[in-house]
Amino acid sequence: MPKVKITELEQQLDPLKLPRHIAIIMDGNGRWAKSKHLPRISGHAMGAKRVSEIVTAASDLDIKSLSLYAFSTENWSRPQPEVSFLMSLLVKYLKKELKNLIRKDVKMVVSGHIEVLPAAAKNVINQNIETSKNHQGMVFNLCLNYGGRQEITDACLELAKQVKAGKLNVDEIDEHRVGQHLYHPALGDVDLMIRTSGEERISNFLLWQLAYSELYFTSVMWPDFTKIDLLEAILAYQKRERRFGGI
Ligand code: FPP
């Protein structure tokens, strides 16, 4: 990777205006592979390498939270061999990534219904979560079998249970309380949402947390997305004026 370009971009960054929480929809693995006459799974394999690179880059940049959309509740509808490949890639990636999490003091958390994932995936996920739970650096939120509507529904269900059990009054439910019942409230709102591959959609990702997020769409395919692209996205974010509904 051209170090000069990275240094040049890093020098332009305003350390006081870094996005606290970055969320990425990693899209374009299949098209990247097709453009190189490779099978779709090669795109996913290269995509997994980028995950590792971007986790390191974000942590080095002192980003507080990074959410990556690795598998949506809708991705089950893909051909079974592709789903199986993604699951085995996940296991391979997580086993390898643990060393990096330790070295970089990154805490890994997961958003989504992982209970239905294959046992091998659940085991390594839980091992990484457990090993990194006291880490003090960036929080890496891996979204797996995740859906934004499901997350909000789960928060509502939890609040409904508390009301039913007499532990909460209905009139005590407000935005703050709903937000506190999301999967990982400490991640906070997303400041910058990046989607690769030229698609301009939210696709059921972090719907609650994206309410006031800056959206950045790039035509770069995920397997080509490097630290340089991340820096360019952050620089574009820093040029925007965030008004949060004010003037
Ligand atoms: C979209 O590409 C990407 C995904 C289905 C999920 C992201 C998966 C990875 C980055 C690889 C593995 C991840 C980890 C954490 C090991 P696509 O197949 O939808 O691309 P296309 O739209 O070009 O077909």
Side-chain angles (χ1 to χ4, degrees):
M1 199 189 302
K3 286 228 159 36
V4 182
K5 174 93 172 162
I6 293 182
T7 316
E8 215 176 87
L9 292 170
E10 277 177 344
Q11 280 167 353
Q12 292 172 43
L13 279 184
D14 179 347
L16 299 176
K17 277 175 71 179
L18 283 174
R20 227 194 130 275
H21 183 182
I22 297 181
I24 309 182
I25 301 181
M26 308 179 287
D27 198 4
N29 294 350
R31 276 163 288 163
W32 178 90
K34 196 173 173 200
S35 74
K36 296 189 154 28
H37 308 288
L38 294 168
R40 286 179 61 78
I41 55 171
S42 314
H44 295 316
M46 184 52 114
K49 290 198 176 133
R50 293 304 184 201
V51 172
S52 194
E53 183 179 327
I54 294 304
V55 168
T56 303
S59 149
D60 289 347
L61 287 167
D62 204 22
I63 300 301
K64 301 299 175 211
S65 311
L66 175 72
S67 293
L68 298 183
Y69 208 177
F71 197 86
S72 73
T73 45
E74 291 74 27
N75 286 151
W76 295 108
S77 65
R78 293 184 175 218
Q80 209 274 326
E82 184 171 335
V83 171
S84 293
F85 181 82
L86 280 168
M87 290 301 149
S88 58
L89 189 60
L90 177 71
V91 172
K92 202 171 132 196
Y93 158 76
L94 287 173
K95 281 187 179 160
K96 220 169 138 198
E97 192 63 18
L98 185 58
K99 272 196 206 123
N100 203 26
L101 299 182
I102 295 169
R103 196 171 61 235
K104 295 285 170 187
D105 203 22
V106 168
K107 173 176 171 168
M108 191 182 104
V109 298
V110 159
S111 290
H113 282 257
I114 60 162
E115 65 279 3
V116 299
L117 297 188
K122 272 189 289 193
N123 291 344
V124 66
I125 290 166
N126 288 330
Q127 195 197 342
N128 283 18
I129 293 175
E130 183 57 29
T131 308
S132 69
K133 71 178 182 206
N134 293 322
H135 288 179
Q136 299 295 311
M138 183 180 83
V139 180
F140 166 33
N141 174 34
L142 189 58
C143 300
L144 284 167
N145 194 21
Y146 174 85
R149 288 183 175 179
Q150 187 63 55
E151 181 176 17
I152 297 169
T153 305
D154 286 347
C156 295
L157 273 170
E158 178 52 35
L159 291 171
K161 279 185 199 155
Q162 290 180 17
V163 171
K164 195 174 171 202
K167 292 182 187 154
L168 180 72
N169 288 322
V170 168
D171 54 15
E172 285 174 312
I173 298 176
D174 57 12
E175 284 188 17
H176 177 73
R177 201 173 287 269
V178 177
Q180 286 306 308
H181 286 81
L182 298 173
Y183 297 146
H184 298 288
L187 292 168
D189 281 348
V190 173
D191 299 300
L192 170 63
M193 197 289 289
I194 301 169
R195 183 172 188 150
T196 58
S197 90
E199 305 291 341
E200 301 189 354
R201 287 187 294 279
I202 302 298
S203 300
N204 202 15
F205 190 38
L206 300 172
L207 296 179
W208 183 278
Q209 300 87 334
L210 284 174
Y212 287 101
S213 170
E214 292 297 326
L215 308 179
Y216 179 87
F217 300 105
T218 170
S219 59
V220 174
M221 301 290 161
W222 176 254
D224 284 332
F225 192 88
T226 64
K227 183 170 185 178
I228 292 180
D229 301 288
L230 179 67
L231 285 165
E232 282 174 351
I234 298 174
L235 284 167
Y237 164 87
Q238 293 193 329
K239 290 197 184 94
R240 299 206 190 159
E241 191 194 345
R242 301 187 75 194
R243 294 207 293 264
F244 299 98
I247 52 170

